[in-house]
Amino acid sequence: MAVFEIDHIVQSLHAVRREWRDSQKRSQEPGGREFPSRDALAQVLEQLKGALFPMRLGPHDLRQESEDWYVGHTLDLALHTLLGQVRLELRYGARQHGGADSEAIEPQALAAAQAFAASLPDIRRLLDSDVLAAYQGDPAARSVDEVLLCYPGVLAMIHHRIAHRLYTLGLPLLARIVAELAHGQTGIDIHPGAQIGAGFFIDHGTGVVIGETAVIGERVRLYQAVTLGAKRFPTDADGHLQKGLPRHPVVEDDVVIYAGATVLGRVTLGRGAVIGGNVWVTHDVPPGGNVTQAVSREG
């Protein structure tokens, strides 16, 4: 006698899937995968990290004389896989809006993948600025190589720079998967829509949250458990959340935000402002401003 009634469970799961697909008006026709794959994108991310930083994040036995060959081969694999995932997202989006025109989707997918590929040198330059900011901003850092290999904030920014480019190319699902892969590894939650300037440094990092419409300038430094979030969520006449409205902070150049600070709403932290630890900010802070907790006094 079988220990588990596998056939019955399989049939029951089939019925549950059909119920879900019916409720979501999904196709029941036989066919291939309808959605992008987290596993495929995780593989692409590892390949892109190796291609961006071959001698540090590439294979352990890579030699400099083989560097360009490795980068070319790895990019070819990664970008072709990414192109397949782009097609899946565009088809998914087309189905959500009433139908998929495969002839129209193919050139869109190719153009998006090519635009992403062409932006990789700029992504590398931005990441170099992030690595330098981490090295220069942390007295415990012994080298830029240590920063790149070890710091969770830098790993989160590698993912974010890639995810943000996908987001701007109209691929929000791929972008969100890339962002959540970093979130799971680092505890740093950066929405791919957030705009972040050069030289960004997250020290320690665990618990940092940066919302979709946040705008962050250059040379900004954040510590662990900082939240750049929304204060409220406006609804329309039917009570549905209004999507895409600016609702997160604007952080100008050279701002420092210390551990545990919470900044909510479409407020502006002026250039050079310093936000102390564990404070709650819901109003604009002028350039050069300093916000701290009240000083405690012992009687």
Side-chain angles (χ1 to χ4, degrees), residues 72-94:
H73 175 69
T74 303
L75 279 179
D76 187 62
L77 294 174
L79 293 171
H80 277 89
T81 301
L82 180 64
L83 175 58
Q85 298 302 301
V86 171
R87 290 188 186 108
L88 287 171
E89 170 154 3
L90 292 178
R91 289 171 185 159
Y92 170 75

Side-chain angles (χ1 to χ4, degrees), residues 191-204:
H191 192 284
Q195 301 175 49
I196 302 179
F200 184 63
F201 175 33
I202 303 174
D203 201 358
H204 306 294

Side-chain angles (χ1 to χ4, degrees), residues 7 93 148 164 188 237 262:
D7 289 344
L148 180 61
H164 183 69
I188 297 169
T262 298

Side-chain angles (χ1 to χ4, degrees), residues 227-294:
T227 297
L228 302 180
K231 186 177 180 181
R232 59 177 61 88
F233 304 99
T235 58
D236 61 21
D238 297 321
H240 300 132
L241 288 179
Q242 296 184 34
K243 308 275 186 179
L245 295 177
R247 59 194 183 279
H248 299 102
V250 175
V251 181
E252 295 184 347
D253 298 346
D254 302 304
V255 169
V256 179
I257 307 177
Y258 285 99
T262 298
V263 186
L264 299 182
R266 195 60 165 187
V267 299
T268 297
L269 308 184
R271 183 182 183 123
V274 176
I275 308 301
N278 296 313
V279 300
W280 186 277
V281 179
T282 57
H283 297 90
D284 292 347
V285 176
N290 194 323
V291 180
T292 61
Q293 295 190 58

Side-chain angles (χ1 to χ4, degrees), residues 107-120:
Q108 292 176 26
L110 185 58
Q114 288 174 334
F116 174 81
S119 69
L120 287 171

Side-chain angles (χ1 to χ4, degrees), residues 47-132:
Q47 291 169 332
L48 289 176
K49 283 186 275 190
L52 287 166
F53 299 97
M55 297 305 297
R56 289 175 285 179
L57 301 183
H60 68 92
D61 56 351
L62 181 64
R63 298 175 62 85
Q64 281 194 351
E65 56 265 34
S66 304
E67 196 173 15
D68 285 342
W69 180 88
Y70 163 76
V71 170
H73 175 69
T74 303
L75 279 179
D76 187 62
L77 294 174
L79 293 171
H80 277 89
T81 301
L82 180 64
L83 175 58
Q85 298 302 301
V86 171
R87 290 188 186 108
L88 287 171
E89 170 154 3
L90 292 178
R91 289 171 185 159
Y92 170 75
R95 284 194 303 273
Q96 296 292 100
H97 294 90
D101 183 348
S102 58
E103 292 185 3
I105 285 173
E106 184 57 31
Q108 292 176 26
L110 185 58
Q114 288 174 334
F116 174 81
S119 69
L120 287 171
D122 289 335
I123 289 174
R124 166 63 200 250
R125 290 188 186 95
L126 278 171
L127 289 170
D128 284 345
S129 76
D130 299 330
V131 169
L132 280 173

